[in-house]
Amino acid sequence: MNRLPQHALLLPLFAVGALLGTNASAQDCEARSGPKPLAVVELYTSEGCSSCPPADRWLSTLKTQDGVLALSFHVNYWNHLGWRDPFATPETTARQYRLKEALGGKYVYTPQVVLNGRDHRSWGGQGARDLAPLPAASAPGLRLVREGNQVTAELAASPAHTALAGYWAVLQDGLVSRVTRGENAGESLRHDHVVSHYQPVEPWPAGETRRTRLTLPAGGNPRVAFVVTDPSLTRPVQALVLQCTS
């Protein structure tokens, strides 16, 4: 499996300001991290996997719950059964292989739920209150700002780390597929939190402030998340999501 592309733009940030504050502001289309970080839940799933729809439905229950960033990464290694998952990409699949290496797993599988960078097999029936947030003591300040089709993440310096990395995730909700082949043939599958675009950001010294920018396609109003991680890209330390409503 090829290594993940690392082509996000990193620019010095000369003035971050106070990065801890309130959550999303629709008026100026920005979001700031607060004193309690989110829980980061990653689901690795496929429309070609018959055991995945219950996990997809569970992830959808987190859509209206505060305190959680839910991410649905569709993988492509089930495509050989005859149904090509339209939401799977080489990049999202490669991310799961990277996690397997970081966690010391022998194989990848679906559905796999990862909570804050750790395999989480007890997800069934859990709600947001059951999902532990990221540790506040090591979470750097983070601000997201959207202007037109440009979304900028501003990162404060973090004395708790020597180096940090991160990734952008563009999220889509309410996606529906009518599956005609494979293990889910004849089923209509609905998905939320689908990562339609995944873009890693290469590591930077954590003692420095940083700004990284994502260019969105013209039109549309997707939710956009930025996840700050350790240099391996597998262990989140901070996360924030932004959706402009005007």
Side-chain angles (χ1 to χ4, degrees), residues 10 15 17 34 43 46 65 74 127 138 161 168 195 204 216 219 222 228 232:
L10 279 176
L43 169 64
S46 171
Q65 298 191 42
H74 283 240
S138 58
H161 305 275
W168 291 100
V195 179
W204 66 87
L216 298 172
V228 187
S232 75

Side-chain angles (χ1 to χ4, degrees), residues 81-98:
L81 294 183
W83 177 253
R84 186 177 182 84
D85 190 322
F87 311 118
T89 69
E91 291 78 18
T92 52
T93 306
R95 175 164 179 80
Q96 190 183 23
Y97 276 90
R98 182 187 283 261

Side-chain angles (χ1 to χ4, degrees), residues 103 109 112-115 117-121:
L103 296 174
Y109 68 95
Q112 181 185 20
V113 175
V114 177
L115 173 62
R118 296 289 191 185
D119 209 28
H120 185 68
R121 296 175 182 262

Side-chain angles (χ1 to χ4, degrees), residues 117-143:
R118 296 289 191 185
D119 209 28
H120 185 68
R121 296 175 182 262
S122 59
W123 51 269
Q126 291 190 331
R129 68 182 62 184
D130 304 306
L131 303 171
L134 293 167
S138 58
L142 174 60
R143 177 177 179 243

Side-chain angles (χ1 to χ4, degrees), residues 20-204:
L20 298 180
T22 60
N23 288 327
S25 170
Q27 288 75 20
D28 53 12
C29 198
E30 72 171 56
R32 295 174 183 260
S33 57
K36 183 178 180 180
L38 303 176
V40 178
V41 179
E42 303 172 54
L43 169 64
Y44 293 87
T45 185
S46 171
E47 290 193 342
C49 157
S50 61
S51 58
C52 286
D56 295 329
R57 290 192 291 270
W58 172 76
L59 201 73
S60 291
T61 67
L62 302 178
K63 186 177 178 182
T64 58
Q65 298 191 42
D66 294 330
V68 177
L69 172 60
L71 303 160
S72 180
F73 290 95
H74 283 240
V75 298
N76 62 18
Y77 49 78
W78 285 94
N79 289 359
H80 71 281
L81 294 183
W83 177 253
R84 186 177 182 84
D85 190 322
F87 311 118
T89 69
E91 291 78 18
T92 52
T93 306
R95 175 164 179 80
Q96 190 183 23
Y97 276 90
R98 182 187 283 261
L99 273 167
K100 175 187 74 71
E101 295 176 4
L103 296 174
K106 295 182 178 179
Y107 50 84
V108 293
Y109 68 95
T110 55
Q112 181 185 20
V113 175
V114 177
L115 173 62
N116 299 335
R118 296 289 191 185
D119 209 28
H120 185 68
R121 296 175 182 262
S122 59
W123 51 269
Q126 291 190 331
R129 68 182 62 184
D130 304 306
L131 303 171
L134 293 167
S138 58
L142 174 60
R143 177 177 179 243
L144 296 181
V145 181
R146 180 172 177 179
E147 297 179 353
N149 65 341
Q150 298 286 320
V151 185
T152 302
E154 298 175 345
L155 284 301
S158 176
H161 305 275
T162 57
L164 293 170
Y167 63 86
W168 291 100
V170 179
L171 305 176
Q172 291 185 289
D173 300 306
L175 301 177
V176 179
S177 288
R178 178 69 176 175
V179 180
T180 60
R181 298 186 183 91
E183 291 188 348
N184 289 313
E187 299 291 332
S188 290
L189 303 180
R190 179 184 174 90
H191 311 286
D192 294 304
H193 315 290
V194 173
V195 179
S196 60
H197 178 74
Y198 168 72
Q199 182 169 310
V201 176
E202 63 186 17
W204 66 87

